Amino acid sequence: MNLRKFGGLKGSFLKIINEITELSRHYSSDLPISDELKNVISLTISEIGNSDFIVAVVGVIKRGKSTLLNALLETDVDILSMKVTPETARLSYLIYSEEQFAVIHHLDGNATEISFDKLPEYTSSYSGIFPKGKKEKVLNTKYAEIHYPNEYLQQGIILVDTPGVDDPEPARSEVTENFISDADAVIFMVDATEGGLKASELSFMMKRIINNKDKSKGIICVVNKINALRRHQRSQLQDVVDKTRETVLNKLGIEIPIYTIDALDALEGKRNHDEARYEKSLFIGFKEAIEKYLIRDKGIIKLRRVVTSFQYGYISNIIDRVQFDLSIKPENLVNLEKQLDDAELWLNNIKLEMDRHNRQFISIRNNLKIWIEKETKDEFTNQIYISEQNFRKIPSSVLRSVGNLKDRFSQKIKNTFIEIESNLNTSQIRIPQIVFDIKSPSVSLERYLSKEKMQVKKNPGASAIGGWVGGLIGFFTAGILTPVGAYLGYKIGRAFEGEAETREIEKFDVTGLTKEVNEINRNTSQSFISQVDLYFDAFESSIKSWFDSQEATIREKRTYIEKAKDSAEFYFNQKRKRLEEYLKSLKDIENKISLLMSELENNNAS
């Protein structure tokens, strides 16, 4: 799924929400909507409409941040400065708008709308030979909001251009660190021509991105300027990537995707319609990876949560209320007092049931993690035998074991969720589709295989024959001709022995391979556990929404039971027909949402 299709799904959900809003307004005389439910509609529309993805580009000066942003925007002119001096003195947001203008947010909380050509006075450096910035304006600027009519931004992307993380001016580095926490994804720029990740960059990543626990984001490392490498440097590019990945893993304990690109070639290749140059920049794969991460790991999760909450927090609530109103008949009025007492009892039971469920859910979740860790260890121990005899079978054995674990864990989690749903005695809880996205581990045997050349005699037993002959001569001559026998034995042995030949012998590093397989074991276990957490979070969110909807429904029922006392049979018969029409429309909308949710899940699984 790309950004355009994802935006289309959001638009479809918004259209349905607007439809049900109009429907609720039309039938408000028969079924008034509480302020609480009106707030649910407003909040849902706001969350879907304002669910833009914030992508921050971070890096020291001269890393090509502005060039990369211009390449993403695919404009014919530079929206952001691409000069090598530290031009960006204040952080800038790039937001879609039909009109081109900028808004400066000041330190005192005020904001000023300015024309596009005045932007450098507020955001560019005011030092140097030909400064573009105005000192008093730059110092009073918190950040700039750039509104621009651009197709890429229109698809729900907000790009953040930041000052350099190692810029000598503290104010510029500080503003970068403060705004990164709001990003959905952080693109960290590294210069290929300077040998990869620097110590200052690693320190910034550790202190200001990884340790920011209040926000959730993904780091995408970009090694830029690959086509500016000299011939001898190009052969070392993969070493730079491997070293960067290994450094981040060892120092920070995380694995991050790393892409090698050339932003300048991408920008100029696109502008000059030079497809060969654009493809050589490797920008296509990088851009697709950003979209895939934002949609799969951010957009779909958030949209699913918002729509699910709307289903159980509004639509199901209204349907229950309509059905309840339709079920009330005049002869039931005498029983309304008893129904009020029952409603209170139901509310207490729901709270007790939810408390019990929460305790059990935590226990089930923790036990399942322990089981996954043990099963993974047992699978690798029992199914993968490392020795010189089956050395070449190890990669396929590893892949087979990971596949076995996927099937086993998927079924286990699915059964666990079904059992939890069954214990709650409901079929209204959405069970997420369990599809583990575990990267297939790759084992390179060449790293552990070496070949040695050895000199081997053609007849290694020939010397023994010579010694035997010499011994016989010495024996039959009573030792007199022992020296002669020794010499003749030596000559005979050499004659039988022949010339030595060179043979190539393979040697396998079983210890090294065992260490790598053990590491794959640990990483695979952690990957499964991390994804299990995501599935449990999604399932728990659905359960909570279901509990909340049950409680809200009972509370609403209690309110309407009280109001029903004052209702007359004649009034009820009048509105009954309208309520049946309303219910039918609500059911139709509920089916539309279910179809869109299925489309969302299918796209996520693919």
Side-chain angles (χ1 to χ4, degrees):
M1 184 189 298
N2 56 28
L3 286 172
R4 189 182 301 278
K5 188 169 184 179
F6 181 69
L9 277 177
K10 290 201 301 182
S12 297
F13 279 120
L14 283 174
K15 184 178 179 181
I16 290 176
I17 292 170
N18 290 330
E19 182 181 347
I20 198 172
T21 301
E22 289 299 319
L23 199 63
S24 299
R25 186 179 295 113
H26 179 71
Y27 289 100
S28 60
S29 61
D30 300 302
L31 193 72
I33 305 300
S34 66
D35 291 338
E36 181 181 355
L37 290 178
K38 289 178 181 178
N39 290 335
V40 171
I41 293 179
S42 299
L43 180 61
T44 303
I45 293 175
S46 175
E47 286 189 318
I48 294 179
N50 298 327
S51 58
D52 291 336
F53 300 116
I54 300 177
V55 179
V57 181
V58 180
V60 303
I61 57 176
K62 302 183 183 181
R63 289 298 183 261
K65 299 190 298 295
S66 297
T67 304
L68 182 139
L69 287 169
N70 285 322
L72 284 172
L73 296 172
E74 296 185 357
T75 57
D76 293 331
V77 295
D78 293 337
I79 299 177
L80 301 166
S81 172
M82 294 165 49
K83 294 188 176 181
V84 297
T85 55
E87 287 258 335
T88 307
R90 290 294 180 265
L91 180 142
S92 299
Y93 278 95
L94 282 87
I95 305 174
Y96 172 76
S97 174
E98 293 182 359
E99 301 295 331
Q100 177 178 307
F101 64 95
V103 177
I104 301 299
H105 294 261
H106 304 292
L107 294 176
D108 59 7
N110 294 320
T112 304
E113 182 176 330
I114 62 171
S115 60
F116 211 68
D117 59 340
K118 297 293 185 182
L119 186 61
E121 296 180 8
Y122 294 84
T123 61
S124 294
S125 175
Y126 53 79
S127 60
I129 300 176
F130 301 107
K132 293 183 179 180
K134 303 294 185 181
K135 183 175 181 179
E136 66 280 3
K137 293 181 178 180
V138 172
L139 292 179
N140 191 38
T141 298
K142 187 175 182 180
Y143 64 91
E145 198 175 291
I146 303 174
H147 295 253
Y148 197 82
N150 178 266
E151 183 179 355
Y152 189 69
L153 298 177
Q154 189 178 12
Q155 296 174 11
I157 297 291
I158 295 177
L159 296 177
V160 183
D161 187 21
T162 65
V165 299
D166 66 346
D167 196 287
E169 186 177 332
R172 286 202 288 258
S173 291
E174 183 178 359
V175 73
T176 300
E177 298 168 6
N178 291 339
F179 276 86
I180 280 177
S181 63
D182 291 329
D184 294 299
V186 176
I187 300 175
F188 204 94
M189 302 287 290
V190 176
D191 194 331
T193 64
E194 294 188 10
L197 194 67
K198 295 169 58 178
S200 61
E201 294 170 324
L202 180 65
S203 176
F204 179 86
M205 190 183 296
M206 180 186 300
K207 296 177 181 178
R208 301 301 181 184
I209 302 179
I210 304 301
N211 290 340
N212 189 339
K213 303 299 184 183
D214 296 330
K215 300 288 183 179
S216 175
K217 64 177 63 60
I219 302 175
I220 300 173
C221 185
V222 170
V223 180
N224 191 25
K225 304 181 184 179
I226 59 172
N227 293 336
L229 294 172
R230 297 180 178 178
R231 181 175 299 179
H232 73 279
Q233 291 177 311
R234 292 177 185 174
S235 63
Q236 300 171 358
L237 179 59
Q238 187 58 46
D239 292 337
V240 171
V241 172
D242 292 341
K243 181 181 178 182
T244 299
R245 180 178 289 108
E246 182 180 357
T247 300
V248 172
L249 180 60
N250 291 338
K251 297 294 184 181
L252 308 182
I254 62 170
E255 291 188 7
I256 62 173
I258 300 176
Y259 296 91
T260 56
I261 68 166
D262 195 293
L264 183 60
D265 274 0
L267 177 62
E268 295 186 354
K270 181 62 70 173
R271 286 181 178 175
N272 298 327
H273 306 289
D274 187 343
E275 292 297 329
R277 186 174 184 184
Y278 186 73
E279 290 183 7
K280 186 179 179 182
S281 72
L282 304 182
F283 204 73
I284 297 176
F286 160 68
K287 189 174 181 180
E288 290 176 348
I290 294 178
E291 293 189 9
K292 183 177 180 181
Y293 165 75
L294 290 174
I295 294 172
R296 183 190 63 193
D297 294 357
K298 293 288 182 178
I300 288 180
I301 292 174
K302 181 176 181 180
L303 187 58
R304 183 196 297 124
R305 175 184 60 78
V306 172
V307 175
T308 299
S309 297
F310 182 73
Q311 277 185 296
Y312 294 116
Y314 188 87
I315 297 178
S316 296
N317 194 301
I318 298 296
I319 289 176
D320 286 343
R321 288 175 55 190
V322 173
Q323 290 175 331
F324 179 74
D325 275 15
L326 288 171
S327 68
I328 297 177
K329 298 178 181 180
E331 56 265 33
N332 290 340
L333 292 176
V334 293
N335 298 321
L336 291 176
E337 288 293 341
K338 182 179 183 304
Q339 293 180 29
L340 285 174
D341 293 336
D342 291 340
E344 290 294 338
L345 180 61
W346 292 341
L347 286 174
N348 291 331
N349 288 340
I350 285 177
K351 291 178 181 178
L352 292 174
E353 178 66 12
M354 189 169 184
D355 290 339
R356 183 191 65 80
H357 162 76
N358 288 337
R359 291 192 298 270
Q360 289 183 347
F361 196 85
I362 293 173
S363 176
I364 291 172
R365 186 175 190 161
N366 291 335
N367 290 338
L368 189 59
K369 290 181 182 180
I370 295 172
W371 179 79
I372 286 176
E373 189 171 0
K374 180 179 181 301
E375 285 293 303
T376 305
K377 182 178 180 181
D378 291 345
E379 175 72 23
F380 274 72
T381 301
N382 298 331
Q383 302 301 324
I384 301 174
Y385 306 95
I386 302 176
S387 66
E388 290 190 1
Q389 288 72 25
N390 68 338
F391 194 86
R392 298 188 181 278
K393 298 180 181 179
I394 299 304
S396 60
S397 297
V398 170
L399 292 176
R400 184 168 55 255
S401 290
V402 172
N404 292 340
L405 292 172
K406 284 183 180 180
D407 296 338
R408 196 182 312 158
F409 294 167
S410 296
Q411 191 60 45
K412 176 72 172 180
I413 295 173
K414 180 179 179 181
N415 292 340
T416 299
F417 287 170
I418 291 174
E419 183 178 356
I420 292 174
E421 182 188 45
S422 176
N423 290 338
L424 292 174
N425 195 26
T426 179
S427 60
Q428 298 181 14
I429 298 174
R430 180 178 295 277
I431 297 178
Q433 184 176 359
I434 311 299
V435 181
F436 283 107
D437 184 15
I438 305 297
K439 182 179 180 182
S440 298
S442 176
V443 180
S444 176
L445 297 179
E446 300 301 323
R447 296 169 53 189
Y448 308 102
L449 176 64
S450 62
K451 297 181 178 181
E452 293 183 4
K453 294 182 179 181
M454 297 184 61
Q455 296 291 327
V456 180
K457 297 177 180 180
K458 290 183 178 179
N459 299 301
S463 297
I465 296 174
W468 181 76
V469 172
L472 285 177
I473 295 174
F475 175 80
F476 286 109
T477 60
I480 298 175
L481 297 179
T482 296
V484 174
Y487 176 77
L488 289 175
Y490 166 75
K491 284 294 187 176
I492 292 170
R494 289 286 292 177
F496 276 96
E497 188 175 66
E499 295 294 328
E501 63 179 11
T502 302
R503 294 182 182 177
E504 195 171 64
I505 298 176
E506 289 185 337
K507 288 190 175 182
F508 300 98
D509 182 7
V510 174
T511 301
L513 180 58
T514 301
K515 183 178 180 181
E516 180 174 348
V517 171
N518 289 339
E519 183 66 22
I520 291 173
N521 180 355
R522 288 189 292 271
N523 292 339
T524 301
S525 176
Q526 288 304 310
S527 295
F528 276 119
I529 290 174
S530 297
Q531 294 189 31
V532 164
D533 277 333
L534 294 177
Y535 287 124
F536 265 80
D537 288 342
F539 188 54
E540 176 66 2
S541 177
S542 296
I543 294 175
K544 186 179 184 303
S545 296
W546 178 77
F547 272 118
D548 291 343
S549 69
Q550 295 297 301
E551 182 177 353
T553 299
I554 294 174
R555 290 186 184 279
E556 290 290 336
K557 284 182 180 180
R558 181 182 61 183
T559 300
Y560 276 84
I561 289 172
E562 293 171 344
K563 293 177 64 176
K565 290 181 182 180
D566 303 323
S567 298
E569 183 177 9
F570 177 76
Y571 172 76
F572 172 78
N573 290 333
Q574 277 188 322
K575 75 172 186 178
R576 182 179 183 86
K577 182 178 180 181
R578 287 176 58 81
L579 288 176
E580 288 174 345
E581 294 173 351
Y582 190 15
L583 181 61
K584 182 179 182 303
S585 298
L586 289 171
K587 292 285 188 179
D588 291 341
I589 288 176
E590 193 174 44
N591 290 334
K592 289 180 183 179
I593 290 181
S594 296
L595 290 174
L596 283 175
M597 287 295 286
S598 296
E599 183 179 353
L600 184 69
E601 297 297 341
N602 291 336
N603 279 285
N604 186 33
S606 60

